């Protein structure tokens, strides 16, 4: 601790006052080559006979370790360019069995040393039995040191392994793979933060695609304004319809939204929309001619982020594409409408009279004809029970005895 020395200093008038002055402290020399002394926590652990806690590396040591790890990862990621893809594998095969099969059936061209890597992805289902090994996904990747092993392995395509004909091809060949579904382009927002619609986006779309979606699992407190506000980021909305109860006017839990573009409906069904927003810089907040000149010189940068529309008022929405009004009308009343089985005629209104309405006699005759054509159904006899207790237990009718009971 610092020692404090009191010293008397004479003042004007002959009075003496005492002041406190700190004594000089010698500088402490620290040898950086010595090991770091243990902390209090480490000393307590040593007293109890426990191992020392792990030491946190400094920022320099951590950066150095990260750099070494990145170099090692790069070395591991460096793969051979001579690789193959093996499909239709048995789900229980292992890497060792596949390696041995390639060596045995290649005619001596493929050896153990020529195979540098075998990767068999496995399917780890959450409900599987963890005591057993996970099954593979039915395909594998194999790398070779030279092109000779690759050609020899491809020649083994359509060869049976475990009663399954293998499909072997180049690992960079994607023939036969189904085309990836094209994702709608990101929706662009203007400088005011609103989504650009219509001709401002200059995007082509299929006019026959559905522009209406069904929205389910909505809250009973949902209004049309809530639905409009939730889906306006997807694109320009034509109209919103929320099914409501007649007595209370509250939402029934479902509704429809019709957009003006099919891309907007496609984004809404996905549950999110990719919004392209302009990145704000310091020049946007500065005033003056210099800031405007710099804005013109610099190109505007944009960033894309996801805007989720699958939740509203704390509920997960059910979003599906709905039939367009025209296609729905054609199915119900067009040429594709269902026809009657007996006459093959389209379902519609019954034939009417001269003035558009049938007379009373014609209607009566039609009804009588319909009654005669319809087969008469014989009335089924009711179950009867002689005992009233049995009738009560079985639900049968009490048997009529022919007696009449009167009450005065």
């Amino acid at each position: 601790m610092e020692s404090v020395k009191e010293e008397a200093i004479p003042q004007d008038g002959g009075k003496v006052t005492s002041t406190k002055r700190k004594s000089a402290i010698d500088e402490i020399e620290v040898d950086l080559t010595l090991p770091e002394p243990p902390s209090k926590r480490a000393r307590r652990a040593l007293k109890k006979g426990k191992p020392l806690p792990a030491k946190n590396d400094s920022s320099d040591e951590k950066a150095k370790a990260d750099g070494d790890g990145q170099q090692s990862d790069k070395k591991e990621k460096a793969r051979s360019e001579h690789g193959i893809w093996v499909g239709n594998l048995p789900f229980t095969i292992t890497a060792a069995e596949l390696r041995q099969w390639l060596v045995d059936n290649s005619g001596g061209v493929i050896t153990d040393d020529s195979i540098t890597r075998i990767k068999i992805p496995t399917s780890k289902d959450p409900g599987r039995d963890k005591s057993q090994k996970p099954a593979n996904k039915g395909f594998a990747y194999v790398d070779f040191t030279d092109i000779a092993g690759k050609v020899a392995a491809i020649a083994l395509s359509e060869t049976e392994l475990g009663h399954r004909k293998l499909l072997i091809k180049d690992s960079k060949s994607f023939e036969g793979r189904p085309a990836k579904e094209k994702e709608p382009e990101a929706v662009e927002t203007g400088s005011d933060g609103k989504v650009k619609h219509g001709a401002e986006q200059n995007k082509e779309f299929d006019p026959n695609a559905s522009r209406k979606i069904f929205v389910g699992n909505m809250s009973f407190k949902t209004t049309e304004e809530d639905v409009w506000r939730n889906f306006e980021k997807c694109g320009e909305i034509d109209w919103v319809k929320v099914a409501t109860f007649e007595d209370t006017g509250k939402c029934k839990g479902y509704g429809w939204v019709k957009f003006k573009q099919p891309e907007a409906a496609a984004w809404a069904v996905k549950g999110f929309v990719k919004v392209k927003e302009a990145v704000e810089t310091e020049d946007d907040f500065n005033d003056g001619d210099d800031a405007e000149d710099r804005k013109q010189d610099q190109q505007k940068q944009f960033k894309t982020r996801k805007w989720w529309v699958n939740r509203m008022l704390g509920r997960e929405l059910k979003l599906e594409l709905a039939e367009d009004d025209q296609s729905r009308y054609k199915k119900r009343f067009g040429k594709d409408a269902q026809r009657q089985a007996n006459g093959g005629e389209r379902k519609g209104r019954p034939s009417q009279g001269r003035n558009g309405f049938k007379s009373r006699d014609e209607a009566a005759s039609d009804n009588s004809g319909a009654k005669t054509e319809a087969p008469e159904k014989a009335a089924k006899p009711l179950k009867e029970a002689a005992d009233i207790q049995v009738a009560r237990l079985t639900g049968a009718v009490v048997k009529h005895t022919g007696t009449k009971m009167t009450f005065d």
Side-chain angles (χ1 to χ4, degrees):
M1 294 179 63
E2 297 179 354
S3 59
V4 180
K5 186 188 294 182
E6 292 187 1
E7 184 178 355
I9 300 175
Q11 299 289 338
D12 295 339
K15 294 182 180 179
V16 179
T17 59
S18 64
T19 60
K20 294 182 179 180
R21 184 176 63 183
K22 296 181 181 179
S23 61
I25 303 174
D26 298 335
E27 294 183 357
I28 301 175
E29 294 182 359
V30 180
D31 190 359
L32 299 177
T33 58
L34 296 175
E36 183 181 353
S39 62
K40 291 183 179 180
R41 183 181 179 186
R43 288 198 296 268
R44 286 197 300 268
L46 289 173
K47 286 182 180 179
K48 296 179 181 179
K50 295 181 180 180
L52 293 175
K55 178 186 174 184
N56 294 329
D57 297 334
S58 62
S59 58
D60 298 337
E61 294 177 356
K62 191 174 182 181
K64 187 177 179 181
D66 293 343
D68 297 341
Q70 289 178 1
Q71 291 179 0
S72 62
D73 292 343
K74 289 182 180 178
K75 291 180 181 179
E76 292 178 358
K77 289 181 180 178
R79 290 174 47 189
S80 173
E81 59 181 4
H82 308 296
I84 61 170
W85 179 85
V86 186
N88 200 29
L89 282 171
F91 296 107
T92 56
I93 195 170
T94 60
E97 294 173 353
L98 181 59
R99 179 190 293 269
Q100 189 63 34
W101 182 84
L102 290 171
V103 172
D104 296 341
N105 292 273
S106 63
V109 179
I110 302 175
T111 60
D112 289 336
D113 297 335
S114 63
I115 301 176
T116 59
R117 172 179 172 269
I118 296 180
K119 175 65 176 177
I120 304 179
T122 56
S123 57
K124 297 180 180 180
D125 299 328
R128 67 180 180 87
D129 188 4
K130 295 184 178 180
S131 61
Q132 299 179 358
K133 292 183 179 180
N136 62 66
K137 294 184 178 181
F139 64 92
Y141 291 95
V142 184
D143 294 344
F144 300 94
T145 56
D146 53 4
I147 194 171
K150 174 182 175 180
V151 174
I154 294 175
L156 294 175
S157 185
E158 299 295 331
T159 307
E160 287 191 3
L161 173 60
H163 305 287
R164 297 171 71 96
K165 289 187 177 181
L166 302 184
L167 174 61
I168 305 175
K169 60 180 183 179
D170 191 349
S171 60
K172 298 179 182 179
S173 174
F174 301 101
E175 296 179 1
R177 178 179 291 186
K180 189 177 181 181
E181 184 180 355
K182 189 177 180 181
E183 192 178 53
E185 296 182 5
V187 179
E188 187 175 350
T189 57
S191 58
D192 55 353
K194 295 183 179 180
V195 180
K196 290 184 177 181
H197 303 302
E200 299 180 10
Q201 292 191 20
N202 297 324
K203 296 175 182 175
E204 299 179 357
F205 58 90
D206 184 11
N208 297 325
S210 178
R211 297 180 290 126
K212 188 167 65 172
I213 64 169
F214 170 80
V215 186
N217 196 32
M218 293 194 299
S219 173
F220 296 121
K221 299 179 181 179
T222 307
T223 60
E224 292 186 1
E225 289 77 12
D226 296 334
V227 180
W228 197 290
R229 196 183 308 111
N230 188 66
F231 290 99
E232 65 181 356
K233 283 284 186 180
C234 299
E236 193 171 1
I237 299 175
D238 193 0
W239 51 260
V240 173
K241 173 64 177 175
V242 175
T244 56
F245 292 100
E246 294 181 0
D247 52 353
T248 60
K250 290 186 177 180
C251 174
K252 289 184 177 180
Y254 62 92
W256 296 268
V257 180
K258 187 174 183 180
F259 297 91
K260 292 189 176 181
Q261 293 181 355
E263 276 81 359
W267 276 122
V269 171
K270 282 180 175 291
F272 65 91
V273 58
K274 289 185 178 179
V275 180
K276 189 187 294 183
E277 296 178 341
V279 179
E280 295 181 347
T281 58
E282 294 181 0
D283 297 336
D284 296 333
F285 301 96
N286 295 334
D287 298 333
D289 298 335
D290 297 339
E292 293 180 359
D293 295 340
R294 277 181 288 178
K295 284 182 183 178
Q296 293 178 359
D297 297 339
Q298 294 179 357
Q299 292 183 354
K300 201 71 173 176
Q301 296 181 354
F302 293 91
K303 64 177 181 179
T304 304
R305 68 185 186 94
K306 287 185 179 180
W307 185 279
W308 296 93
V309 296
N310 61 342
R311 291 188 68 87
M312 184 170 56
L313 300 180
R315 296 176 70 94
E316 191 82 18
L317 300 179
K318 180 182 180 182
L319 304 173
E320 295 178 355
L321 280 174
E323 288 184 339
D324 200 60
D325 296 339
Q326 293 182 357
S327 59
R328 185 173 179 82
Y329 181 84
K330 288 178 181 179
K331 283 185 179 181
R332 296 182 65 183
F333 306 106
K335 295 180 180 179
D336 298 335
Q338 296 181 356
R339 298 178 178 275
Q340 293 182 357
N342 52 0
E345 298 179 356
R346 192 175 60 189
K347 291 183 179 180
R349 295 183 179 179
S351 57
Q352 298 176 350
R354 189 186 311 171
N355 297 327
F357 298 96
K358 288 186 178 181
S359 62
R360 187 178 298 177
D361 298 337
E362 291 176 354
S365 61
D366 292 346
N367 293 336
S368 62
K371 289 180 181 179
T372 55
E373 290 177 1
E376 296 182 359
K377 295 183 180 180
K380 294 182 179 180
L382 299 175
K383 294 182 179 180
E384 297 181 351
D387 190 0
I388 190 171
Q389 296 297 337
V390 177
R392 288 177 178 174
L393 294 174
T394 59
V397 180
V398 180
K399 189 175 181 180
H400 181 61
T401 56
T403 58
K404 185 177 181 182
M405 185 178 295
T406 59
F407 298 92
D408 298 335

